[in-house]
Amino acid sequence: PNEDRSSLLRGLSTPLAMEDVLRPGTEIKRHQCANLSDTFTSKNVENPLSSTVYAAGSFIRGDVWCTQTFQRHSAEETSGRSYMQFLRAGARQMLHFDPREPGMCAAIVTCGGLCPGLNAVIRELAKMLFAYGVKTVYGIIGGYLG
């Protein structure tokens, strides 16, 4: 059934050349975020999840970028747009810090306010930190006010 669905979707798809999507004057800007290696020397430790079911081909290379979805409001739109690219988030094969180092801990801080689903995100973040080997996780009361 899934193969039939994939074949059907492929049959409905139309390959496009980049010129058909990106209009003249379009620019793609890479947003360079601050990197831990700019401040701290990397421990370059292999991810402790490498030997688990989590790792089944799921590590992200450090040079993979995600691009904002290309869109046009109508076929008459002829001017270019600006699109952003960001480094792809996700688990890496090598870690910057060693989670098993004595005294290693993490802190989770949110900015407060109503946010449906935030408790589930915090729970999963804490569970993943424990899976990585971090033994102490703090929650910061008062958000950014500390």
Side-chain angles (χ1 to χ4, degrees):
N2 284 342
E3 290 178 28
D4 293 337
R5 187 175 297 155
S6 293
S7 296
L8 175 65
L9 290 174
R10 262 189 242 106
L12 295 173
S13 298
T14 304
L16 296 172
M18 289 302 286
E19 304 82 51
D20 295 333
V21 179
L22 301 178
R23 294 288 157 217
T26 296
E27 62 180 343
I28 298 175
K29 299 177 184 177
R30 285 195 166 176
H31 184 70
Q32 297 284 354
C33 295
N35 192 304
L36 288 172
S37 61
D38 296 340
T39 306
F40 304 100
T41 304
S42 176
K43 302 284 185 175
N44 213 28
V45 175
E46 185 170 0
N47 191 320
L49 302 180
S50 294
S51 60
T52 68
V53 70
Y54 292 115
S58 62
F59 291 124
I60 306 297
R61 291 190 337 262
D63 61 348
V64 177
W65 293 81
C66 293
T67 305
Q68 177 184 1
T69 302
F70 298 128
Q71 61 183 355
R72 286 174 48 195
H73 292 295
S74 70
E76 289 78 37
E77 185 178 317
T78 58
S79 61
R81 291 178 165 222
S82 291
Y83 296 98
M84 295 296 297
Q85 279 190 329
F86 300 90
L87 273 175
R88 179 142 183 234
R92 302 292 199 257
Q93 181 72 38
M94 303 305 285
L95 300 180
H96 192 82
F97 293 109
D98 185 352
R100 295 163 292 202
E101 193 173 282
M104 183 59 66
C105 64
I108 299 173
V109 61
T110 66
C111 58
L114 294 176
C115 182
L118 185 58
N119 287 341
V121 170
I122 293 169
R123 177 178 177 268
E124 291 304 314
L125 178 57
K127 286 176 64 174
M128 212 60 211
L129 285 165
F130 289 133
Y132 271 83
V134 176
K135 302 291 182 214
T136 305
V137 178
Y138 296 100
I140 306 300
I141 297 173
Y144 288 108
L145 296 176

